[in-house]
Amino acid sequence: MAVSVNLGKALDKAYENSSLEEILAAPPSALAGLTEKHDVLLSELGIKTVQDLGSNKYFAVAGVLVALSGKTG
C-alpha cells in the first residue's frame, strides 16, 4: 500500500523533494530548525544521520515519556 505524507514544514527546503531513503541518510540538519552546528554536536553522540537520530534509544525513551505525560491523571 502506498502512503503519502507531506513533510514540507518538517524538512529543510533542500530535502523537501527527497526520497525517504535520502532523508534517512541525510544529516540531522535536513530537519527544519537544525543547522550544521547541530550536526557537529549530535555527531559527538554518534548521531550522524536522520535515521540515527530517530532510532536513538534515549530520544525514543524521551518521546515516549512526553507522550505518556499527556495520559497521566
Side-chain angles (χ1 to χ4, degrees), residues 12 15 25-31 33-50 52-53:
D12 183 85
Y15 291 91
S29 60
L31 301 176
L34 296 181
T35 66
E36 290 179 4
K37 183 175 182 179
H38 294 108
D39 292 340
V40 172
L41 294 170
L42 288 166
S43 72
E44 293 175 11
L45 299 173
I47 297 170
K48 296 181 181 173
T49 66
V50 171
D52 293 341
L53 181 63

